[in-house]
Coordinates of all heavy atoms in Angstrom, one line a residue:
P165 N -18.2 18.7 -14.7 CA -16.9 18.3 -14.0 C -16.7 19.2 -12.8 O -17.1 20.3 -12.7 CB -15.8 18.6 -15.1 CG -16.5 18.7 -16.4 CD -17.9 19.2 -16.1
Y166 N -16.1 18.6 -11.8 CA -16.0 19.2 -10.5 C -14.8 18.7 -9.7 O -14.2 17.7 -10.0 CB -17.2 19.0 -9.6 CG -17.5 17.6 -9.2 CD1 -17.1 17.2 -7.9 CD2 -18.0 16.6 -10.0 CE1 -17.3 15.9 -7.5 CE2 -18.2 15.3 -9.6 CZ -17.9 14.9 -8.4 OH -18.1 13.6 -8.0
V167 N -14.4 19.5 -8.7 CA -13.4 19.1 -7.7 C -14.1 19.3 -6.3 O -14.6 20.4 -6.0 CB -12.1 19.9 -7.8 CG1 -11.2 19.7 -6.6 CG2 -11.4 19.6 -9.1
D183 N -4.1 22.6 -8.2 CA -3.7 22.1 -9.5 C -4.9 21.4 -10.2 O -5.2 21.6 -11.4 CB -2.6 21.1 -9.4 CG -1.2 21.8 -9.1 OD1 -1.2 23.0 -9.2 OD2 -0.3 21.0 -8.6
D184 N -5.7 20.7 -9.4 CA -6.9 20.0 -9.9 C -7.9 21.0 -10.3 O -8.6 20.8 -11.4 CB -7.5 19.1 -8.8 CG -6.7 17.8 -8.5 OD1 -5.8 17.5 -9.3 OD2 -6.9 17.2 -7.5
I185 N -8.1 22.1 -9.6 CA -9.0 23.1 -10.0 C -8.6 23.8 -11.3 O -9.5 24.0 -12.1 CB -9.2 24.2 -8.8 CG1 -9.8 23.5 -7.6 CG2 -9.9 25.4 -9.3 CD1 -9.8 24.4 -6.4
A186 N -7.3 24.0 -11.4 CA -6.8 24.6 -12.7 C -7.1 23.8 -13.9 O -7.3 24.3 -15.0 CB -5.4 24.9 -12.6
E187 N -7.2 22.5 -13.7 CA -7.5 21.6 -14.8 C -9.0 21.6 -15.2 O -9.3 21.1 -16.3 CB -7.2 20.1 -14.4 CG -5.7 19.9 -14.2 CD -4.9 20.0 -15.5 OE1 -5.4 19.5 -16.5 OE2 -3.8 20.6 -15.5
L188 N -9.9 22.2 -14.4 CA -11.3 22.2 -14.8 C -11.6 23.2 -16.0 O -12.6 23.1 -16.6 CB -12.1 22.7 -13.6 CG -12.2 21.7 -12.4 CD1 -13.0 22.4 -11.3 CD2 -13.0 20.5 -12.9
G189 N -10.7 24.1 -16.2 CA -10.9 25.1 -17.3 C -10.7 26.5 -16.7 O -10.5 26.7 -15.5
T190 N -10.8 27.5 -17.6 CA -10.4 28.9 -17.2 C -11.4 29.4 -16.1 O -10.9 29.9 -15.1 CB -10.5 29.8 -18.4 OG1 -9.6 29.3 -19.4 CG2 -10.1 31.2 -18.0
T191 N -12.7 29.3 -16.3 CA -13.6 29.9 -15.3 C -14.3 28.8 -14.5 O -14.7 27.7 -15.0 CB -14.7 30.7 -16.1 OG1 -14.1 31.7 -16.8 CG2 -15.7 31.3 -15.1
V192 N -14.3 29.0 -13.2 CA -14.9 28.0 -12.3 C -15.9 28.7 -11.3 O -15.7 29.9 -11.1 CB -13.9 27.2 -11.5 CG1 -13.0 26.4 -12.4 CG2 -13.0 28.1 -10.6
S211 N -8.9 30.2 -13.2 CA -8.7 29.1 -12.2 C -7.2 28.9 -11.9 O -6.9 28.2 -10.9 CB -9.3 27.8 -12.7 OG -8.7 27.4 -13.9
V233 N -16.0 22.8 -6.3 CA -15.6 23.7 -7.3 C -16.0 23.1 -8.7 O -15.7 21.9 -8.9 CB -14.1 24.0 -7.3 CG1 -13.7 24.9 -8.4 CG2 -13.6 24.5 -6.0
E234 N -16.8 23.8 -9.5 CA -17.3 23.3 -10.7 C -16.8 24.1 -11.9 O -16.6 25.3 -11.9 CB -18.8 23.4 -10.7 CG -19.5 22.5 -9.7 CD -21.0 22.7 -9.7 OE1 -21.5 23.9 -9.4 OE2 -21.8 21.8 -9.9
A235 N -16.6 23.3 -13.0 CA -16.2 24.0 -14.3 C -17.4 24.8 -14.7 O -18.6 24.4 -14.6 CB -15.9 22.9 -15.3
Q236 N -17.2 25.9 -15.3 CA -18.2 26.7 -15.9 C -18.8 26.0 -17.1 O -18.1 25.4 -17.9 CB -17.7 28.1 -16.4 CG -18.8 28.9 -17.0 CD -18.3 30.3 -17.5 OE1 -17.2 30.3 -18.1 NE2 -19.1 31.3 -17.3

Side-chain angles (χ1 to χ4, degrees):
Y166 67 98
V167 170
D183 289 343
D184 290 344
I185 291 171
E187 292 295 318
L188 288 175
T190 302
T191 303
V192 296
S211 63
V233 183
E234 295 176 299
Q236 181 184 38

